[in-house]
Amino acid sequence: MDFQKTYQEKVLYINEGLNSIIRQRESHPTVLRAMEYSLQAGGKRLRPVLFLSAYEFACIDNCSIQELDQVRPMACALEMIHTYSLIHDDLPAMDNDDYRRGKPTNHKVFGEAIAILAGDGLLNLAYEVMLENVPLETEKLNRYIKAMLIISRSAGVSGMIGGQTADMENQGSNGNFSELEYIHTHKTEALITASLKSGVIAKREDTELLNAVAKYGKALGMAFQITDDILDLTGDLQELGKMPGSDKKMSKLTYPARYGLEMSKKMSRQYIEQAVSCLEPYGKKGEFLKLLALSILDRSR
Ligand code: GRG
């Protein structure tokens, strides 16, 4: 399998979905422009790619494009939730960042008030879009609602918002391992795991598969965040698309701050090994997710 080519095909498919969602929306042009600005500024589209890959992973044979088209709005909703969180995270009241996805941050272009509204707009639009696309058949509908619940919990106070709160409260603290783990699992890993679990549930109810992707997601999410912490120390603006050194500037509790660079790299590798091992029983079916996990170790943005 050509991993990069397959990943890019999924990104194009998601971008096409996002463009059509935004184009169809009636709204005040200013807030819509601000939403579109951050959404189309790029980004790896990791969460929707994970959703679609988990959906395909749960298909017995190859799934048809018609089938994927039905669940694409949910994949796009995950990207909208993620993009809202980035806009808010960059605000002066939070991380006060000037660059994101290689461009000036939303509030730098549109001002703080519009940036807050653009984030709110994306979050609400995510749920609007999912609800507009609920399937009518009872069995599919029940699974779809379960998937939405997984997504909303992971993005809400028991997930990302809780993690972000802990992240804010722990600035400047030496912190212990459990605080650091709470921040990473809630701020980053929760939405990553939810993307995978909702992808499986959207296709079928299968406890074994669900447990496998949940374990994979937990390990992948941790490795992803540790790598993000490492890149904040070692990356550059050009490649990262955001200003490196921001964690240090904000005295954030991170893995490299707590354990040093080399130990953090080792821990990230261990998490990826764990993620890959969760897919072993599935052979070829798990190949894309396996390659995706391995790609996290080489990521430069
Ligand atoms: C404001 C409720 C609220 C939450 C913010 C996502 C987040 C939580 C903060 C962003 C800061 C950060 C470094 C978070 C860790 C998660 C993470 C690595 C986000 C960046 O995700 P990528 O690398 O970004 O997938 P792209 O731009 O590629 O989509």
Side-chain angles (χ1 to χ4, degrees):
M1 175 188 290
D2 183 339
F3 170 72
Q4 287 303 339
K5 183 166 170 270
T6 312
Y7 193 100
Q8 274 321 309
E9 282 166 3
K10 291 185 196 302
V11 170
L12 286 178
Y13 181 64
I14 291 149
N15 287 346
E16 191 187 275
L18 288 169
N19 289 341
S20 103
I21 289 167
I22 289 285
R23 252 183 273 123
Q24 282 168 18
R25 222 36 56 170
E26 241 185 79
S27 168
H28 192 288
T30 306
V31 74
L32 205 57
R33 222 163 357 103
M35 288 157 68
E36 202 173 3
Y37 173 80
S38 290
L39 209 49
Q40 293 180 347
K44 297 179 285 298
R45 309 302 194 213
L46 175 68
R47 293 132 194 98
V49 167
L50 287 173
F51 173 91
L52 292 174
S53 316
Y55 187 92
E56 288 173 325
F57 182 57
C59 289
I60 308 282
D61 300 312
N62 288 338
C63 21
S64 67
I65 187 72
Q66 287 82 0
E67 227 186 302
L68 287 174
D69 284 348
Q70 280 177 9
V71 294
R72 178 164 59 171
M74 195 172 263
C76 291
L78 283 159
E79 184 61 25
M80 288 190 274
I81 294 172
H82 168 61
T83 305
Y84 121 78
S85 80
L86 298 180
I87 296 175
H88 282 194
D89 182 71
D90 291 335
L91 286 166
M94 297 220 192
D95 277 6
N96 195 17
D97 276 314
D98 292 350
Y99 290 96
R100 171 72 69 181
R101 294 179 164 173
K103 288 189 166 179
T105 41
N106 201 290
H107 65 272
K108 283 275 158 195
V109 178
F110 297 94
E112 274 183 61
I114 299 300
I116 292 170
L117 292 168
D120 295 342
L122 283 169
L123 178 61
N124 280 282
L125 186 55
Y127 291 98
E128 264 176 68
V129 163
M130 285 194 278
L131 287 167
E132 282 167 1
N133 287 281
V134 289
L136 298 177
E137 305 93 304
T138 312
E139 195 259 340
K140 263 193 189 175
L141 175 68
N142 286 341
R143 282 188 283 104
Y144 196 91
I145 289 171
K146 280 186 190 168
M148 279 188 67
L149 187 60
I150 289 172
I151 293 170
S152 51
R153 282 207 177 121
S154 75
V157 287
S158 317
M160 187 169 67
I161 291 177
Q164 181 75 352
T165 309
D167 183 276
M168 295 289 126
E169 278 195 347
N170 274 285
Q171 275 174 31
S173 92
N174 277 330
N176 54 32
F177 180 73
S178 69
E179 276 159 330
L180 184 55
E181 206 184 39
Y182 181 92
I183 294 173
H184 282 22
T185 51
H186 290 74
K187 188 175 85 168
T188 308
E189 179 264 297
L191 193 61
I192 285 181
T193 302
S195 305
L196 290 151
K197 284 173 71 178
S198 54
V200 167
I201 288 236
K203 177 60 195 173
R204 65 192 164 102
E205 196 102 47
D206 183 324
T207 313
E208 191 196 299
L209 270 196
L210 209 56
N211 287 340
V213 295
K215 272 194 183 159
Y216 166 87
K218 279 193 185 310
L220 183 86
M222 291 304 285
F224 187 80
Q225 178 61 63
I226 298 173
T227 314
D228 205 75
D229 291 351
I230 294 171
L231 287 173
D232 189 71
L233 279 179
T234 60
D236 64 73
L237 172 63
Q238 197 79 4
E239 251 189 312
L240 276 182
K242 59 181 178 181
M243 205 60 96
S246 132
D247 291 341
K248 202 166 180 193
K249 189 181 83 192
M250 303 288 288
S251 305
K252 287 279 177 90
L253 183 54
T254 65
Y255 268 72
R258 186 83 180 79
Y259 297 105
L261 202 53
E262 285 317 308
M263 187 60 183
S264 302
K265 285 182 184 169
K266 189 174 166 202
M267 288 165 122
S268 172
R269 270 198 306 276
Q270 282 169 344
Y271 276 121
I272 290 301
E273 278 163 21
Q274 258 179 46
V276 168
S277 73
C278 300
L279 300 170
E280 254 155 32
Y282 302 97
K284 263 243 127 346
K285 227 37 237 110
E287 193 185 358
F288 180 78
L289 287 172
K290 177 181 155 187
L291 293 174
L292 192 152
L294 292 171
S295 76
I296 299 293
L297 291 175
D298 304 323
R299 85 183 177 99
S300 56
R301 69 185 186 104

